[in-house]
Amino acid sequence: MTTNRKAHALLALAIGCFTWLVSGCGSGGGGTPPPPPSFTISVSPGSVLVAQGATSVPVQLSVIAVNGFQGAVSVSLQGLPAGVTASPAFPVSIGAGSSQSATLTVGNTVARGNYSLTFAGSSGALSGSAPLLLTASGAAVVGPAQDFKKQVIYQIVTDRFFNGDTSNDNPPQSPGMFDASKTNWQMYWGGDLAGIQQQMAYLAGLGITAIWISPPVDNIDVLANLGGTSYAPYHGYWARDMQQIEEHFGDVNNTWAAFDNLVTAAHENGIRVIVDFAANDSNPDDGGEFGALLNKGQAFASYQNDAAPPNNLFHHNPTIMDFNDPFQLQYYTLVDLADLNQENAQVDSYLKSAVAQFMQHGADGFRLDALKHVTWGWEYSLANAAYTNGPTFLYGEWFQGINDPTYHDSVEFSNRSGIALLDFPLASAMRDVFANNGDFHEIDNTITQEDNDFDSPNDLVTFVDSHDIPRLLSVNNNQNRVNEALALQLACRGIPVVLYGDEQYLHNDTNGGNDPYNRVWMSSFSTSTTAYKLVNQMANLRQANPALAYGTSQQRWINSDVYILERQFFDDIVLIAMNKSETAAYNISGLFTALSAGSYSDYLNGLMGGLSIQVSAGTGGNNPVTAFNLPPHTVSVWQSSAAAASPELGSLGPRLAQAGLIATAAGDGFGSSPGTLLVGTTAATVKSWSDSSVTFVVPSVPPGNYNITVQASSGATSNPLPFAVLTGNEIPVTFTVDNVPLVAGASVYLTGNVVELGANVQSAGSAVGPLLAVPGTSSSWFIDASVPAGTQIQFTLFQVLQDGSIVPEGASYSYGVPTAGVGSVSVSW
Ligand code: NOJ
């Protein structure tokens, strides 16, 4: 007991004695009077986690008689939110010494979150109560999702979150990598998949709808001694076997049980599971297991004893030095990580079967590690292989700044592959603004540029902190700024990721908070921090108001400290205003909004000092807001959502697929009875239909680019969104062209008679390229492209000169793409 708690206990004892003495005196001094009867109420369990549309486990209410209390207690249930019903209906009468079992049913519209309920009992003048915490989680997930725009993702470094199973802390096959004291930041600390599962109520109460877990695959079993320091692969990025689960995260037999259990528990509570998947490399080539890989426990690939090209499973190139050189990026070694050769058929199959296996075990999506360093064309085929397995969502890590020379490659990559990107440019702008007190114009300009460049900016995956950069609080120890950054990110276009612990304001500033000090232990699970409540409210708004998922972005008012951003999807509108100054208030005059005339209170209920606004009628969607004062470090959110009169199409996922694959159209106002989904003018077979989502089978139409529309059963038709129908299952093929008479400064491109190669359009924007120089040659060029398996294709090459003019090769080549695996073809210009 601490000194403080001891003092309290003594005081309570003294007060108790005093009460007894007073009543004893009043009784006339004739001996000790019997203490008065009373009762207490107990509730077990004290907290319940219930999904929307589900009923809780039975809660046992007991009336415990004290000092001979007899009679009945009338127990009411206080704090029950609208949409939750109790059975039996309260109040109920419970006799002394008796129990009553009750359940709570959570309706489908109850917002995710924590609700504090009280069972209050009374009997005559006596009363007693007991609390019950109800956590409402999302409705159980049915089937995989392809549209993540309404989701909020929570990123977890599994080892640093929660230790749910101590039996895997120091497993026999990889002993000595665990540090119970949590002082050696390069060791395992005990967090595991069971631990995440045990914190499901915390996650559900936070309102997030997906978790992104660090790579759960089996990692190297021995410490890697690199430069004199020993490193354990607690982060999961040093795979030894991508087909099994790491024993520190699951069980000592490397089975899938803990992963399966986590997925089941998450899905029951409306939470999707995204797996971090590293296809670029295996593990360090200079320590530990020296890059070697196993396949379900059997030897698979040896970096140290690899075959000669073209049968090599790894690239054996130097470390990347020039991060602006596309060849180095894809074919050189990232730091010291043994670089896999995805163009090798065995490696291709190994990686794709690992993804397939995760999908079979219920993974809903993948965060593709080090995307920029994996062969780009191969990744298109990986995405297609994943979509061919079934519906899923993919986003990847293209670490960059908006002014990097490869920024335009990243745009083209994402637009063509349909793989969403983590939004590094916006993260960098957000960090400049919130941690370094930069000007809001930087964020605004970034949003404008990316919205212009990316075909689907609402699919960009936004973040402020990550496991690779110092936490915001390590850069600027100001919790207001964390709250403001989170509020903006959660309102902004793109799918937000919240890094575990940010909602608890955790940070360790050793070495500036750089890796590994940003991978803090999750030492607190408080549900009452401002950030926890903020994430919950904004995550619920993302579900309720389609403007956040599908809307456009418009800056409505800005200076270096103030940003007012409007999101709009047809008649659904969210307006967020923030002032990041710690001291200055600003008078906001001349503000216009698409919100219609009326008064709007702060959706956050003043959580961050928000206020109400008054809007009057204007014209053209520009309605004037009565001038108001925006106090320092405040955030206000105003919103309105209208029932859609006709279908409003906000999302297609994926945005490219071949006939026969399942895709999802999402939006609002599709109607509850099935209508028609049109790919061009062809009706697709509909697999499921709801007011906000239609899943359909891509029809057998000629491959090419189409508009998709949703037609309600009433006949009303939605806005169109573009969709590419691919020719077939995609496999990677390496195209090489020798003897190119290159015009100085020109680039070589590839096109062909299939949509995958740009449908014979000889322009840099449509074709595949530029090709990369074959190392050691002066006139040979190559590229790995994703093309339809089992198809006879015609292809051709051309040069784009510095002035933009085209020099075609003239010849056309025919190539029979293999029906599976990988391919390669060489021609001479
Ligand atoms: C990027 C990851 O986010 C980082 O943490 C990891 O070390 C590297 N990729 C290599 O896998």
Side-chain angles (χ1 to χ4, degrees):
M1 203 182 268
T2 63
T3 316
N4 244 346
R5 285 172 62 192
K6 266 189 203 154
H8 276 121
L10 288 172
L11 187 67
L13 206 63
I15 291 171
C17 291
F18 178 73
T19 314
W20 176 81
L21 283 173
V22 170
S23 52
C25 292
S27 73
T32 307
S38 64
F39 68 86
T40 60
I41 296 181
S42 83
V43 178
S44 177
S47 60
V48 285
L49 171 63
V50 191
Q52 292 162 342
T55 298
S56 71
V57 294
V59 172
Q60 213 55 33
L61 285 172
S62 305
V63 169
I64 298 152
V66 179
N67 301 330
F69 171 79
Q70 290 180 334
V73 173
S74 172
V75 179
S76 64
L77 179 52
Q78 297 169 353
L80 206 60
V84 180
T85 51
S87 175
F90 284 78
V92 295
S93 177
I94 307 176
S98 301
S99 296
Q100 166 77 54
S101 156
T103 57
L104 299 176
T105 299
V106 171
N108 280 323
T109 55
V110 176
R112 292 167 164 84
N114 294 316
Y115 300 92
S116 297
L117 313 185
T118 306
F119 290 103
S122 64
S123 177
L126 297 174
S127 61
S129 66
L132 174 69
L133 178 68
L134 164 67
T135 302
S137 60
V141 164
V142 187
Q146 290 170 296
D147 171 28
F148 266 63
K149 299 179 192 67
K150 285 193 169 182
Q151 315 292 329
V152 174
I153 301 171
Y154 185 73
Q155 184 194 352
I156 297 175
V157 176
T158 301
D159 179 60
R160 301 293 154 99
F161 194 63
F162 192 69
N163 192 343
D165 178 2
T166 53
S167 76
N168 60 17
D169 286 353
N170 198 13
Q173 67 268 55
S174 47
M177 295 175 136
F178 171 63
D179 175 23
S181 71
K182 302 182 180 59
T183 50
N184 184 338
W185 289 71
Q186 300 297 357
M187 294 291 147
Y188 284 102
W189 284 0
D192 48 29
L193 298 169
I196 301 174
Q197 187 182 339
Q198 287 168 28
Q199 291 296 342
M200 201 53 67
Y202 174 84
L203 298 170
L206 184 58
I208 55 96
T209 55
I211 50 175
W212 148 18
I213 57 171
S214 50
V217 296
D218 190 12
N219 267 236
I220 58 171
D221 282 354
V222 293
L223 294 168
N225 190 299
L226 308 172
T229 304
S230 291
Y231 295 86
Y234 70 90
H235 41 68
Y237 292 105
W238 293 353
R240 80 191 296 263
D241 191 337
M242 298 190 193
Q243 322 289 336
Q244 306 200 126
I245 298 296
E246 163 60 34
E247 62 273 11
H248 285 87
F249 302 148
D251 58 62
V252 297
N253 296 316
N254 301 102
T255 77
W256 287 78
F259 182 83
D260 293 343
N261 292 340
L262 171 62
V263 168
T264 303
H267 285 178
E268 280 170 2
N269 289 290
I271 294 178
R272 309 260 178 204
V273 178
I274 298 167
V275 167
D276 200 325
F277 186 73
N280 180 61
D281 44 65
S282 52
N283 56 69
D285 59 22
D286 52 352
E289 300 190 7
F290 296 92
L293 266 187
L294 303 178
N295 186 353
K296 297 197 173 97
Q298 305 299 312
F300 168 64
S302 163
Y303 181 80
Q304 292 184 311
N305 193 16
D306 200 4
N311 298 319
N312 50 320
L313 274 56
F314 293 92
H315 299 129
H316 298 266
N317 291 323
T319 298
I320 302 168
M321 299 298 289
D322 181 354
F323 279 80
N324 297 322
D325 176 342
F327 181 81
Q328 287 198 24
L329 289 178
Q330 296 171 75
Y331 294 97
Y332 274 29
T333 300
L334 178 61
V335 194
D336 60 349
L337 297 169
D339 197 56
L340 286 162
N341 173 13
Q342 293 84 13
E343 286 154 79
N344 173 290
Q346 283 172 273
V347 173
D348 170 78
S349 155
Y350 179 85
L351 294 169
K352 286 175 181 166
S353 66
V355 164
Q357 191 166 199
F358 272 111
M359 291 178 74
Q360 281 154 18
H361 283 270
D364 298 282
F366 296 88
R367 178 265 189 189
L368 301 174
D369 182 60
L371 197 70
K372 164 161 104 165
H373 303 289
V374 184
T375 314
W376 301 342
W378 179 82
E379 271 166 327
Y380 293 23
S381 77
L382 174 72
N384 184 258
Y387 297 136
T388 304
N389 294 334
T392 190
F393 178 70
L394 305 174
Y395 63 97
E397 178 203 28
W398 192 298
F399 208 114
Q400 64 172 342
I402 204 162
N403 295 319
D404 286 5
T406 58
Y407 167 75
H408 291 284
D409 290 309
S410 81
V411 172
E412 181 179 321
F413 174 90
S414 182
N415 288 346
R416 291 229 185 147
S417 67
I419 300 174
L421 295 187
L422 279 157
D423 195 346
F424 278 88
L426 185 62
S428 142
M430 297 270 273
R431 293 168 67 83
D432 280 350
V433 169
F434 291 107
N436 300 326
N437 205 27
D439 185 319
F440 267 121
H441 282 95
E442 187 181 347
I443 289 179
D444 195 50
N445 293 339
T446 305
I447 292 174
T448 305
Q449 181 172 344
E450 291 194 308
D451 282 8
N452 199 33
D453 292 340
F454 285 93
D455 287 350
S456 183
N458 280 321
D459 273 317
L460 285 163
V461 178
T462 63
F463 64 99
V464 180
D465 277 346
S466 89
H467 63 304
D468 287 331
I469 48 180
R471 288 176 185 256
L472 220 58
L473 286 171
S474 287
V475 185
N476 179 359
N477 192 3
N478 178 337
Q479 295 187 1
N480 287 331
R481 289 291 171 81
V482 171
N483 296 337
E484 290 153 8
L486 281 172
L488 180 55
Q489 186 206 350
L490 289 156
C492 198
R493 96 282 180 275
I495 302 159
V497 174
V498 176
L499 178 63
Y500 82 99
D502 270 5
E503 77 284 13
Q504 301 293 334
Y505 308 113
L506 299 180
H507 60 114
N508 181 301
D509 304 337
T510 312
N511 189 24
N514 272 293
D515 163 12
Y517 301 101
N518 49 2
R519 296 145 185 208
V520 295
W521 181 248
M522 185 74 176
S523 51
S524 157
F525 288 88
S526 164
T527 55
S528 57
T529 67
T530 299
Y532 185 93
K533 293 179 189 161
L534 173 70
V535 173
N536 169 282
Q537 285 183 280
M538 293 304 288
N540 280 323
L541 184 59
R542 194 163 269 265
Q543 291 286 319
N545 190 323
L548 293 188
Y550 310 127
T552 53
S553 306
Q554 185 181 3
Q555 178 260 106
R556 287 292 198 168
W557 208 103
I558 191 166
N559 69 20
S560 71
D561 279 338
V562 173
Y563 193 44
I564 304 186
L565 173 72
E566 188 159 79
R567 308 289 318 285
Q568 179 171 13
F569 182 63
F570 295 90
D571 291 337
D572 301 315
I573 293 143
V574 173
L575 185 66
I576 180 169
M578 61 179 57
N579 175 3
K580 73 173 164 63
S581 169
E582 290 293 304
T583 49
Y586 289 94
N587 180 45
I588 310 297
S589 62
L591 172 66
F592 291 89
T593 176
L595 289 165
S596 50
S599 101
Y600 295 85
S601 59
D602 173 28
Y603 173 82
L604 300 175
N605 294 317
L607 181 68
M608 293 172 63
L611 36 84
S612 301
I613 51 168
Q614 197 65 38
V615 178
S616 13
T619 54
N622 293 312
N623 301 324
V625 180
T626 307
F628 61 95
N629 195 51
L630 197 60
H633 63 74
T634 56
V635 178
S636 295
V637 176
W638 307 286
Q639 62 101 31
S640 77
S641 181
S646 56
E648 300 168 348
L649 182 56
S651 162
L652 293 174
R655 288 179 283 115
L656 65 174
Q658 65 271 31
L661 292 203
I662 303 282
T664 301
D668 200 14
F670 298 170
S672 49
S673 39
T676 309
L677 185 134
L678 292 168
V679 178
T681 53
T682 305
T685 302
V686 167
K687 303 289 279 184
S688 72
W689 187 286
S690 77
D691 190 47
S692 58
S693 177
V694 175
T695 54
F696 63 97
V697 182
V698 178
S700 296
V701 291
N705 296 313
Y706 289 84
N707 274 328
I708 283 188
T709 48
V710 175
Q711 212 170 66
S713 59
S714 65
T717 301
S718 75
N719 55 303
L721 283 182
F723 186 87
V725 176
L726 299 175
T727 313
N729 291 6
E730 306 290 306
I731 65 163
V733 168
T734 306
F735 292 82
T736 305
V737 52
D738 300 317
N739 306 318
V740 178
L742 193 74
V743 178
S747 306
V748 185
Y749 284 80
L750 163 74
T751 188
N753 66 341
V754 286
V755 62
E756 290 80 355
L757 293 180
N760 277 337
V761 177
Q762 296 201 355
S763 79
S766 304
V768 176
L771 274 62
L772 304 169
V774 175
T777 71
S778 55
S779 60
S780 293
W781 298 80
F782 82 103
I783 197 156
D784 192 55
S786 176
V787 286
T791 308
Q792 193 70 34
I793 60 171
Q794 312 296 321
F795 69 92
T796 185
L797 297 138
F798 63 96
Q799 296 183 41
V800 179
L801 309 194
Q802 268 174 332
D803 65 2
S805 57
I806 304 288
V807 177
E809 187 202 351
S812 171
Y813 305 96
S814 188
Y815 173 62
V817 182
T819 51
V822 304
S824 68
V825 53
S826 290
V827 297
S828 179
W829 182 287

